[in-house]
Amino acid sequence: MNKHSLFPERGPAFWWTGFTALIAAGTIFILFVSLVIESVPVFKSQGLSFLWGADWFAGEAYGALPMIFGSLMVTGLAVVMVLPFALGSAILTSEFLNGRLRLVVKAAMELLAGVPGIIYGLMGIAVLTVWVRDVFGLIDGNTLFTAGLLLAVMILPTVMTLSEDALRSVPGEFRDTALSLGLTRMEMTLKVVVPQALPGLAGAVFLGLGRAMGETIAVMLVIGGIDRIPQPWFNLFAPGQSIPSKIGREAAEALGFDVQWSALIALGLVLFVMVMTLTSAGNLLLRRAR
Amino acid sequence: MNSRLFKERILLGSLYGFTACGCLVLAVILILVFTKGGLAISTAFLFEEARNFGLEGGILYQIAGTLILMTGAALVCLPVALGSVLFQTEFLHSPKLRKIFRLVIYALNAVPTIIFGLIGYLFFGVFLEAGVSWMTGVLVLAVMILPTLHVSIHEAVESIPKHYREAGLALGLSPGQQMRAVILPQSLHGIVTGTLLGLARAAGETAAIMFTATAFSGVRLPQSWTEPVTTLQTHILVLAQEAANPVALTHAWGAGLVLLTLVFVLIAATLWIRSGLEMEAQR
Amino acid sequence: MPARFSRKVILGLALVLFGTGVFLQIGPGGVTHALAQDSTVIRIAGSTTVLPIVSRAAEQFQTRNSSVRITVNAGGSGVGIHGTGTRRLDVGLASREITSKEKNRYASSRLNTTVIGRDAVACVVSSEIFDSGVRSLSRQQIGDIYLGKITNWKQVGGPDRKIIVIDKEAHRGTRHVFMKYLFGKSNARAPGARLVTGSNNEEQAKIAQSDSAIGMLSIAWINNDVVGIGIREGHQVIKPTLKNVRAGRFPIARNLNLVTAGQPRGVVKQFVNYLLSKEGQVFVEVSGYIPIRSPQLMSQVAGSHSK
């Protein structure tokens, strides 16, 4: 059988599916192209200083640095806080729990991964900001730390299930060999399984980070909303601003017009590049792990 | 040997500790939503219109709005996702093009949701003149959940055993007949789970619709294409900002509970279907 | 596998769709009925200060004119003006005047404002600060707080506690008016700010949740947790009361505006006229602002809300 007899005719099925594929591809194309084209005006008027300007005041100056800083900061905080819990529970689930219990944990995590961002936002504003203020003795609880903590809780289920998958995918022979060499279960896990699964674990973390960095609502309600890099910069308990939160707050005002709109789209472009870097790194690592 | 055992115990204990902490935090979240939200829930709350800026009455039209946006998005997205997957697997022979297609879908999955709102508004709202309306919201969400549906359907189609296709070919089926007789029925689970996950994602989304599809008050059911709706997500957003007012917070938690239940039911349904599938595969 | 499985799946899907359908039908009239109805829509959005008036009035207006439907959205004065300028809105709400920049930007829309009420912007503090003795501040002091020159309440006679300065988003009407009073420039910067909020609701909540905050708020949003302090001018202290605003004594007063592209026409005109009528002015008063003409006695309007 040659190729031609496999698909002898370009019948209605071909045209129909081709049409929908064209719609899908076209939409995605338009999305990416407008993201670039619409951000041109602000680069024209501000030059590259848009990227490292520290001052943002609608109608006067557009500097994205505080937002870029804020996004990196909350995402970094989130990963530091989520790591021990996500990896710990992933290792426990994959190596020490029996099959049934494992399935229950996995199902629960998949459910929890779907909790909408607005629920976390509500919790952040009603409970967490007050809690952070009182526990750390701050004058106010709307800080980068609060946002990072909220994000850590939010991505915990995602990072945990993906890490668990990565650990499970380490072939059984490795475990058998390790055990036959007289290692204990824990030694086997830490010295053999985890190193073997490392690319997969890293991939899981990167994907979680991508989600954290793109989250709007939960962060917007607790971060403080001020477009400023804290003094000193490592002061976690100062308010700040992340890129999605900034866009969320200003989009309605600028909808579709003027340099301000272009500046917001350009912020979106910067965010996309950052998230894309994280997720493609994650996907690459995950695929290599398999 | 003893110290080795001791170390082992300590490590295992810390693993249990971390896991317990993680589970505890997540449990606290659920308990918070269910206890605080439970206080607000009543038939009146579910089936009455919101009054006095959401401080009185219920969330009838908010529920309706969320349902409209999410089902609309899934209905728009499903044929496009299904068609493009079939085109990719059945007609696209060049491995290079297939790879590009897959990469583009992955890239779309990485786009932060707020960007769908920005560009979606520009394209659907301004260019297609739908304005701030439920139609814009549906289209924005449809693009947003495209990767979810696409990946799920694609996996299902790819996993169809080769001899099924060969049997179809041996019978002399045309590509269209092949799709109807073999591929669609065999990948139905992927189509359904993908759609359910897409629905869940659309129901939980706030950032992409808050300035493209919703209004704050005076909204009931849309009576034309270009009217805004009100949704559970944006309702919670507005009420959450009145955090000092206990009534507003109670209503926000109530709306949150309804939203969470909706999302959980959708995800649980996918898990149920998948587990049923695994069980049948084991037979 | 396929037969049993697909039955389960189809059953599940059917249940979801059926549930949605049933729910939508329960709403008064149901979707099918609603979609069949013919009606005009007035799209309104903007200032959260003006929103309560318009939202309440719209509710009443719609019960009388069942063919008209009015959607009201928040966002801020900038959103109202921008939306009207770009014709996305039929009526924009603004708690400030249109800037000359905005006028030029939307020249083709010939923006027109209709004043429906008067309001004042008060300097507000957390109740704990008020109770500890900070009852009034001078313009200089408030200005220095916003500039970051004064950072502790003890510098203005309060407790030894850091000041949490709350700023608003740049396009908000309240901020324009407040900054204009403090610094003579509606777009002045506030380097002393710690938090930036959007709507009146959000700012009110942040101040109430805190015990050492200062902010700017329409007088209608003042309550037990968020207290308006007096403005000190020379030896005299002017409290932010409706009486002082009405008498023209309180220094930070403003108009509450409806913005339209050109003169209001058709149903929009009807609605604007309703707001200006004796009956419509009741909603201005009920919402805590000053009507521009004496409203009808409240008891005579059925279904008016109290705040």
Side-chain angles (χ1 to χ4, degrees), chain A residues 7 9 20 89 182 184 187 268, chain B residues 4 8 19 83 90 93 110 115 174:
Chain A
F7 295 107
E9 38 156 347
T20 55
S89 54
T184 63
E187 284 166 341
Chain B
R4 202 172 151 198
E8 173 113 4
T19 312
E90 307 304 308
H93 294 300
I115 293 178
S174 73

Side-chain angles (χ1 to χ4, degrees), chain B residues 74-127:
Chain B
L75 287 178
V76 171
C77 186
L78 184 57
V80 175
L82 187 59
S84 54
V85 167
L86 291 177
F87 184 77
Q88 193 188 346
T89 55
E90 307 304 308
F91 296 108
L92 209 57
H93 294 300
S94 145
K96 208 172 184 180
L97 277 177
R98 280 188 181 196
K99 198 177 170 198
I100 291 177
F101 212 100
R102 209 189 57 212
L103 283 180
V104 166
I105 292 287
Y106 269 115
L108 192 65
N109 205 14
V111 174
T113 56
I114 186 105
I115 293 178
F116 288 110
L118 281 180
I119 306 290
Y121 181 78
L122 195 72
F123 188 68
F124 302 121
V126 178
F127 187 67

Side-chain angles (χ1 to χ4, degrees), chain A residues 74-288:
Chain A
V74 291
T75 317
L77 271 172
V79 73
V80 170
M81 287 190 266
V82 82
L83 264 184
F85 300 102
L87 292 188
S89 54
I91 292 173
L92 186 79
T93 313
S94 132
E95 306 299 319
F96 296 94
L97 294 187
N98 64 33
R100 242 194 117 73
L101 198 56
R102 191 183 147 254
L103 279 183
V104 173
V105 173
K106 289 282 280 182
M109 286 295 164
E110 277 187 47
L111 267 187
L112 284 168
V115 174
I118 183 69
I119 304 273
Y120 287 102
L122 175 59
M123 205 147 41
I125 204 168
V127 182
L128 199 63
T129 50
V130 182
W131 184 81
V132 166
R133 182 188 67 195
D134 294 344
V135 167
F136 294 95
L138 307 175
I139 52 170
D140 185 77
N142 297 282
T143 63
L144 294 168
F145 175 82
T146 322
L149 183 58
L150 201 57
L151 285 178
V153 176
M154 196 169 152
I155 61 172
L156 174 62
T158 313
V159 178
M160 187 266 164
T161 38
L162 289 174
S163 310
E164 208 265 353
D165 288 342
L167 290 169
R168 291 299 290 186
S169 69
V170 173
E173 302 100 70
F174 284 94
R175 293 166 222 259
D176 295 341
T177 319
L179 287 178
S180 67
L181 285 174
L183 295 182
T184 63
R185 235 192 142 87
M186 181 61 77
E187 284 166 341
M188 168 204 84
T189 305
L190 294 182
K191 290 185 184 151
V192 180
V193 179
V194 172
Q196 278 298 318
L198 214 54
L201 293 177
V205 173
F206 276 119
L207 284 186
L209 279 183
R211 188 173 172 210
M213 193 173 264
E215 173 60 26
T216 308
I217 293 296
V219 173
M220 190 173 106
L221 291 172
V222 300
I223 199 170
I226 196 151
D227 315 335
R228 195 190 294 154
I229 297 175
Q231 293 290 334
W233 66 270
F234 49 81
N235 182 5
L236 307 177
F237 294 106
Q241 182 76 294
S242 79
I243 294 179
S245 156
K246 180 69 182 171
I247 300 175
R249 279 194 177 273
E250 271 194 28
E253 179 201 347
L255 276 186
F257 290 85
D258 220 26
V259 186
Q260 189 187 0
W261 171 256
S262 169
L264 290 178
I265 300 265
L267 268 186
L269 183 64
V270 172
L271 178 68
F272 172 70
V273 170
M274 299 199 311
V275 173
M276 199 57 215
T277 315
L278 286 176
T279 33
S280 43
N283 278 326
L284 214 68
L285 288 165
L286 278 182
R287 211 169 309 136
R288 209 199 292 163

